[in-house]
């Protein structure tokens, strides 16, 4: 599976994507591949104080993070 920039991704990679129903970017982790996209685990609004969620994102709608930020 490839990200927006064409980089190959694997389970456990850190990625940045648009959180469903909100504006802005959120950092998450790939937990599963599907035929057309990926399932990403993340914290609501990117804040570790909030509970953990997961969402489905289509291929090319996320960017792999090379360095921890």
């Amino acid at each position: 599976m490839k990200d927006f920039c064409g980089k190959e991704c694997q389970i456990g990679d850190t990625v940045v994507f648009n959180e469903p129903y909100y504006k802005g970017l959120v950092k998450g982790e790939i937990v599963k591949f599907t035929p057309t996209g990926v399932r990403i685990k993340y914290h609501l609004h990117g804040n570790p104080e909030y509970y953990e969620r997961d969402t489905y994102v289509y291929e090319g709608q996320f960017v792999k993070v090379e360095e921890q930020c």
Side-chain angles (χ1 to χ4, degrees):
M1 185 73 51
K2 294 186 179 186
D3 72 351
F4 181 79
C5 297
K7 294 183 253 176
E8 274 298 323
C9 295
Q10 301 174 354
I11 293 177
D13 283 347
T14 302
V15 295
V16 177
F17 66 102
N18 275 330
E19 186 175 10
Y21 311 110
Y22 296 99
K23 294 180 181 178
L25 297 175
V26 178
K27 185 169 62 170
E29 179 183 335
I30 296 175
V31 293
K32 182 180 179 182
F33 289 110
T34 66
T36 58
V38 296
R39 178 130 329 251
I40 299 175
K41 176 177 66 172
Y42 69 101
H43 288 281
L44 185 64
H45 305 304
N47 186 343
E49 304 262 331
Y50 290 112
Y51 58 93
E52 197 168 77
R53 302 181 90 177
D54 68 288
T55 189
Y56 176 80
V57 179
Y58 288 106
E59 181 176 17
Q61 292 184 336
F62 59 92
V63 177
K64 181 177 175 180
V65 177
E66 296 293 329
E67 298 178 14
Q68 291 297 326
C69 50

